[in-house]
């Protein structure tokens, strides 16, 4: 199985040893599907011999932004459904106060 040689910088919640110096780090270089990943210190990312930065194209940024906005709309829609269903179960609306 071959991996593409394009990795994205991510941050994790759990620190693990850096691939180069073994110091604890939460910075990870990962492929799109996270099938391959490497924990590395942010200092090593500035080394041109280790990794180089590929700038994202404006199209990619727009696509990612649209996907994020769609996910946020879905989450808001689910929250509003949950709030309405809870009110219906109680037989009271949010405006009714005792």
């Amino acid at each position: 199985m071959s991996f593409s040689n394009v990795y994205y910088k991510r941050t994790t919640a759990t620190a693990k040893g850096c691939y180069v110096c073994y110091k604890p780090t939460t910075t990870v270089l990962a492929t799109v599907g996270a099938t391959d990943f490497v924990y590395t210190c942010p200092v090593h990312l500035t080394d041109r011999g280790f990794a180089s930065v590929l700038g994202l194209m404006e199209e990619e940024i727009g696509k990612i932004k649209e996907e994020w906005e769609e996910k946020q709309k879905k989450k808001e829609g689910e929250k509003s459904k949950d709030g309405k269903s809870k009110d219906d179960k109680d037989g009271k609306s949010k405006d009714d106060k005792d």
Side-chain angles (χ1 to χ4, degrees), residues 46-60:
T46 60
D47 181 8
R48 286 190 221 169
F50 182 73
S52 58
V53 176
L54 298 176
L56 287 176
M57 305 287 279
E58 291 296 324
E59 297 170 359
E60 291 179 34

Side-chain angles (χ1 to χ4, degrees), residues 24-90:
T25 183
T26 58
T27 303
V28 176
L29 293 179
T31 57
V32 175
T35 54
D36 188 28
F37 58 92
V38 176
Y39 279 84
T40 182
C41 294
V43 174
H44 296 117
L45 295 179
T46 60
D47 181 8
R48 286 190 221 169
F50 182 73
S52 58
V53 176
L54 298 176
L56 287 176
M57 305 287 279
E58 291 296 324
E59 297 170 359
E60 291 179 34
I61 293 171
K63 182 180 175 183
I64 292 168
K65 191 174 182 179
E66 286 177 15
E67 290 174 1
W68 182 81
E69 289 173 352
E70 288 176 11
K71 288 180 183 179
Q72 294 300 316
K73 287 179 183 177
K74 287 181 182 179
K75 286 182 183 179
E76 288 176 7
E78 289 174 4
K79 286 182 182 179
S80 65
K81 284 182 181 179
D82 290 343
K84 288 179 183 176
S85 63
K86 288 180 184 176
D87 290 340
D88 292 341
K89 289 179 184 176
D90 295 340

Side-chain angles (χ1 to χ4, degrees), residues 3-17:
F3 300 110
S4 66
N5 198 19
V6 177
Y7 291 81
Y8 296 92
K9 180 181 171 185
R10 302 285 178 123
T11 303
T12 63
T14 306
K16 292 195 178 183

